[in-house]
Amino acid sequence: MSPRRILALAIALALLTACASSGQRTPGPTTGGQPGGPATSSPTPGSLPTAGPTAPGDSPAGGTPPGSPGTPATPDAPGSPDTPAASPFDPAAVSLAFEPFASGMGALTYLTHAGDGSGLLYAVEQAGVVRVLERDGSLRSQPLLDLTDRVRAGGEQGLLGLAFHPAYADNGRLFVNYTDHNGDTVVAEFRRSAEAVADPATERIVLRVEQPFRNHNGGMVVFGPDGYLYVSLGDGGGGGDPLEAGQDLGTLLGKILRIDVDGGQPYVVPADNPFVGRQEAQPEIWVWGLRNPWRMSFDRETGALLIADVGQSSWEEVNLQPAGAGGLNFGWNITEGPDCYRADSCDTAGLTAPLAWYASHGGQCAVVGGYAYRGVEFPGLAGAYFFADHCSGLVWAFDMASALASGQAEVFEMGSAGLRPSAFGEDEEGELYLVGHSGEVLRIAARPR
């Protein structure tokens, strides 16, 4: 019997739960493909939730399905002996700590830096305010930006993303992703008016996308190594993708977009986007087949894009897009995690299987994607990609080099943060933070065991 089928049995789930501990390798299923390969088909149990949760990035509400906590799993694909992993992350050699860094803010959705050498961090409040944090975590009284007059906040709506232009130090341009009073997604540009202050009156709408429901907005904006702006959009909401947006190239919903905000107004589509020139497709699309890609990040060293996609009722997943590999289809709503969605079998030709997944049962509800550690203060974390669960607060990690080389990830449980994380954050030096939905920020640290 395959390990994935064993996962479906309560006795094996209990065994995995009992065996899970900090620094322990997480067993993965023996079926499934590596990135670029087909997903595995098997039944997906569970009923279909009909409403959304009360925190951004959650899986659909209706409650967390009962059962034992899921343990992150990974495709067990053939390795590549000619490309061995370099300097693999060893979780047994370090003890992870979550140190208090900042607090006293409203519900937070993100944390980032401006890349301008200032050392400042910027915390995004769901209500529409971007707060400024000093190097020691203290808050400035003057926010970077206050958009509460134009943001609808609550549930999965609000100010959801922030990205500074790669040349921000010189041009003062920054970009946000928010839901407006109509509930639609707005990606907008603003301009700096003073040090760590932007002028709300300088808003220039870059992109507006109609949202048919109140959930699954995605919300991430990030500049890639190529200088283009990447935008994450969920499938539009409603249980099970009722609009079939994930597999529809004619809509921007359920996709990651790639646009050039420097080449024209409001933007131009890069000529090498994978669907340029295809009549049935929106040219902005970079990758597709996603449900609610709440958080994503580029690895500073490899340029790979890691996309954490919030699941429906059974699986949370992390997807890998190797550098430059646009056009990948991550399967929603044909598949959810490693399984066919609501079907005993499905056609997985052309689909890319997730790099890692875990069950959204027993108090686990929504994956929160993080970053590959590329800082210098904690060398024991070098190359480890971190992600978490929004409800349980558990944090996991895997080695990026090994995952890229073999097409699979060995996933390790690293501990609990003791909060409901909504995002990870990264400072200019590559040090990592965990952002709490209740308004706190923890700094991730490590000590040798």
Side-chain angles (χ1 to χ4, degrees):
M1 182 179 293
S2 71
R4 200 183 69 214
R5 294 293 296 161
I6 294 173
L7 273 174
L9 301 176
I11 186 170
L13 283 172
L15 179 61
L16 287 176
T17 303
C19 292
S21 63
S22 179
Q24 180 178 350
R25 176 179 174 176
T26 300
T30 57
T31 53
Q34 54 191 329
T40 303
S41 304
S42 74
T44 302
S47 59
L48 187 66
T50 57
T54 57
D58 274 7
S59 56
T64 303
S68 301
T71 304
T74 56
D76 196 6
S80 301
D82 295 332
T83 55
S87 304
F89 163 63
D90 181 7
V94 295
S95 176
L96 206 64
F98 303 95
E99 302 174 345
F101 180 74
S103 60
M105 294 168 281
L108 294 177
T109 58
Y110 192 50
L111 180 80
T112 190
H113 64 91
D116 58 356
S118 67
L120 298 174
L121 285 169
Y122 297 89
V124 179
E125 292 184 337
Q126 185 178 1
V129 180
V130 180
R131 305 295 301 275
V132 183
L133 281 69
E134 303 283 359
R135 289 178 180 269
D136 62 358
S138 59
L139 287 171
R140 290 192 179 184
S141 58
Q142 174 71 40
L144 171 74
L145 192 61
D146 187 339
L147 302 177
T148 52
D149 62 341
R150 64 202 78 178
V151 170
R152 173 190 281 184
E156 295 184 23
Q157 299 176 317
L159 182 56
L160 306 179
L162 169 67
F164 292 86
H165 192 280
Y168 173 78
D170 298 321
N171 63 29
R173 301 168 65 194
L174 57 124
F175 297 78
V176 300
N177 185 323
Y178 68 87
T179 49
D180 65 14
H181 290 302
N182 294 322
D184 296 329
T185 288
V186 173
V187 175
E189 176 185 342
F190 292 87
R191 297 277 181 155
R192 180 182 58 211
S193 57
E195 193 266 341
V197 178
D199 183 358
T202 62
E203 182 175 25
R204 178 179 71 88
I205 303 298
V206 175
L207 180 70
R208 190 187 299 272
V209 180
E210 182 178 351
Q211 291 287 355
F213 299 96
R214 295 170 65 95
N215 57 346
H216 304 183
N217 298 297
M220 189 76 180
V221 284
V222 60
F223 281 93
D226 51 15
Y228 296 134
L229 184 66
Y230 290 72
V231 182
S232 74
L233 287 167
D235 63 11
D241 192 9
L243 301 179
E244 301 290 336
Q247 293 300 309
D248 182 2
L249 289 172
T251 177
L252 299 179
L253 297 173
K255 317 295 190 300
I256 304 297
L257 314 182
R258 179 179 183 246
I259 58 177
D260 180 0
V261 294
D262 296 322
Q265 298 292 332
Y267 63 85
V268 297
V269 175
D272 59 347
N273 271 14
F275 300 106
V276 168
R278 287 181 53 170
Q279 186 174 0
E280 80 282 10
Q282 297 293 324
E284 295 91 344
I285 296 172
W286 180 244
V287 296
W288 54 311
L290 296 162
R291 181 181 177 275
N292 189 19
W294 166 244
R295 288 292 166 246
M296 63 183 182
S297 67
F298 285 95
D299 177 14
R300 291 187 180 198
E301 182 171 299
T302 67
L305 177 61
L306 283 301
I307 306 164
D309 195 18
V310 179
Q312 177 69 40
S313 58
S314 297
W315 300 105
E316 306 297 315
E317 64 185 69
V318 177
N319 296 293
L320 170 68
Q321 177 246 294
L328 300 183
N329 181 352
F330 293 110
W332 175 253
N333 67 353
I334 299 172
T335 58
E336 179 194 11
D339 291 340
C340 292
Y341 176 64
R342 302 181 70 189
D344 291 344
S345 63
C346 56
D347 183 2
T348 60
L351 304 185
T352 298
L355 186 68
W357 63 83
Y358 66 93
S360 50
H361 294 169
Q364 308 202 135
C365 68
V367 64
V368 178
Y371 295 87
Y373 181 81
R374 301 299 181 186
V376 297
E377 189 168 347
F378 307 108
L381 300 181
Y385 172 81
F386 291 92
F387 64 103
D389 181 77
H390 174 68
C391 287
S392 69
L394 287 174
V395 176
W396 298 277
F398 60 77
D399 179 63
M400 273 296 300
S402 299
L404 282 167
S406 65
Q408 62 181 350
E410 291 185 84
V411 179
F412 302 91
E413 184 180 317
M414 300 302 295
S416 175
L419 50 68
R420 289 172 66 93
S422 55
F424 286 76
E426 184 184 43
D427 65 23
E428 199 164 350
E429 288 75 35
E431 303 303 326
L432 300 184
Y433 303 79
L434 195 59
V435 179
H437 189 249
S438 298
E440 66 272 57
V441 177
L442 305 179
R443 188 170 183 265
I444 296 177
R447 300 290 180 267
R449 285 190 183 274

